[in-house]
């Protein structure tokens, strides 16, 4: 059978970049998705591709807005043409995550989060599914969050959309299991990346106080979890939520 590829959305920076590098190191040809029309993101994606190549792997940068149906179809087609049919799909891309008090919350704010965590996963899985079915299997890994459990004030839209993403994971696991396709979700805790550069010391200290392992997670921790779920070792795991948060437990 032709060797399959991995596609990681939102892979030009943050967790996605580390996941793409790790899957490349695991031997997967990797599609490195980045948002179109942003030169800085194109440069970052090129750096990730170069890093994968320097480590002996193969990667291709592919621009697409993962909330746009036509662009998602083209993203999957371009990745498959360059690297082989997609066998591992990592749904990671995200947008802005504003903190909005309930009194100021709008339906538009909800839709902004649902675009990335319900619409985009649906489009991506639909586009990748025919090839996975033909091949008799595949791996879908969603990058979720522990925010639905943390239930922080001002995070209604984000937490609600992330909770919906987990529900999709579980339903799709049942629906796609007969085709040999597993669907799982990695739920990171607070993993400091570029978007957290402005976090206040008291925020960091407050979070760490609730983490039994006493440290922040790293992007490599998340990449390792995704790598496992994409591997043959996880072939009998589906519909699972894998928390990667240092042991923080919510009541």
């Amino acid at each position: 059978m032709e060797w399959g590829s991995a596609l990681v959305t939102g892979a030009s920076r943050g967790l996605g970049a580390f996941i793409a590098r790790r899957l490349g190191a695991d031997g997967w040809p990797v599609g490195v998705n980045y948002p179109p029309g942003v030169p800085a993101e194109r440069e970052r994606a090129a750096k990730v591709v170069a890093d994968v190549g320097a480590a002996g792997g193969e990667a291709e940068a592919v621009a697409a807005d993962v909330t746009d149906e036509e662009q998602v179809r083209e993203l999957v087609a371009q990745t498959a043409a360059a690297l082989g049919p997609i066998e591992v799909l990592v749904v990671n891309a995200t947008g802005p995550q504003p903190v909005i008090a309930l009194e100021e919350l709008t339906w538009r704010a909800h839709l902004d989060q649902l675009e990335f965590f319900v619409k985009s996963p649906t489009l991506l899985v639909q586009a990748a599914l025919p090839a996975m079915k033909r091949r008799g299997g595949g791996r879908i890994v969603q990058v979720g969050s522990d925010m639905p459990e943390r239930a922080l004030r001002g995070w209604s839209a984000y937490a609600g959309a992330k909770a919906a993403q987990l529900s999709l994971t579980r339903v799709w696991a049942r629906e796609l299991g007969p085709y040999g396709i597993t669907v799982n979700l990695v739920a990171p805790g607070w993993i400091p990346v570029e978007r957290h550069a402005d976090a206040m010391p008291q925020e960091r200290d407050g979070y760490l106080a609730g983490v039994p392992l006493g440290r922040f997670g790293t992007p490599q921790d998340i990449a390792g979890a995704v790598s496992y779920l994409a591997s043959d070792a996880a072939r009998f795991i589906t519909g699972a939520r894998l928390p990667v948060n240092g042991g923080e437990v919510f009541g």
Side-chain angles (χ1 to χ4, degrees):
M1 180 182 291
E2 182 184 2
W3 182 255
S5 67
L7 171 62
V8 184
T9 66
S12 57
R13 62 160 71 203
L15 298 181
F18 283 87
I19 293 168
R21 293 187 188 102
R22 175 59 186 267
L23 293 179
D26 291 344
W28 293 102
V30 183
V32 177
N33 163 249
Y34 66 96
V38 185
E41 295 296 336
R42 183 176 64 248
E43 293 171 7
R44 292 186 183 102
K47 177 64 165 57
V48 175
V49 169
D51 290 344
V52 172
E58 180 183 8
E60 183 88 9
V62 190
D65 174 356
V66 294
T67 68
D68 179 272
E69 186 170 0
E70 183 56 39
Q71 291 190 45
V72 166
R73 283 197 294 262
E74 187 61 24
L75 167 64
V76 169
Q78 287 183 17
T79 302
L83 302 171
I86 294 170
E87 189 169 340
V88 176
L89 172 63
V90 181
V91 180
N92 169 75
T94 185
Q97 300 167 9
V99 179
I100 306 173
L102 177 57
E103 292 87 350
E104 300 168 4
L105 188 63
T106 64
W107 180 233
R108 181 67 258 172
H110 276 296
L111 289 175
D112 287 343
Q113 301 305 316
L114 293 169
E115 289 271 337
F116 276 98
F117 305 133
V118 174
K119 180 182 180 182
S120 178
T122 300
L123 296 178
L124 287 158
V125 171
Q126 287 175 333
L129 197 53
M132 288 186 179
K133 284 185 173 181
R134 285 195 300 270
R135 293 172 60 80
R139 299 280 190 272
I140 298 168
V141 183
Q142 301 220 62
V143 178
S145 173
D146 67 356
M147 290 298 282
E149 288 72 32
R150 291 175 68 194
L152 299 182
R153 289 174 292 183
W155 287 86
S156 300
Y158 180 82
K162 280 297 189 181
Q165 186 181 24
L166 175 59
S167 292
L168 293 180
T169 299
R170 290 171 170 164
V171 172
W172 293 346
R174 286 185 177 273
E175 193 166 340
L176 301 181
Y179 302 99
I181 300 167
T182 65
V183 190
N184 293 291
L185 182 141
V186 173
W190 185 356
I191 311 293
V193 291
E194 297 95 332
R195 70 169 63 244
H196 303 117
D198 296 330
M200 301 298 290
Q202 58 266 33
E203 292 181 83
R204 292 173 175 269
D205 293 344
Y207 178 82
L208 285 177
V211 179
L213 290 183
R215 68 167 176 88
F216 282 105
T218 68
Q220 291 89 341
D221 293 325
I222 306 307
V226 173
S227 170
Y228 169 66
L229 291 173
S231 74
D232 191 58
R235 62 188 178 276
F236 200 58
I237 298 173
T238 194
R241 175 187 180 274
L242 175 58
V244 185
N245 63 4
E248 188 174 18
V249 177
F250 307 95

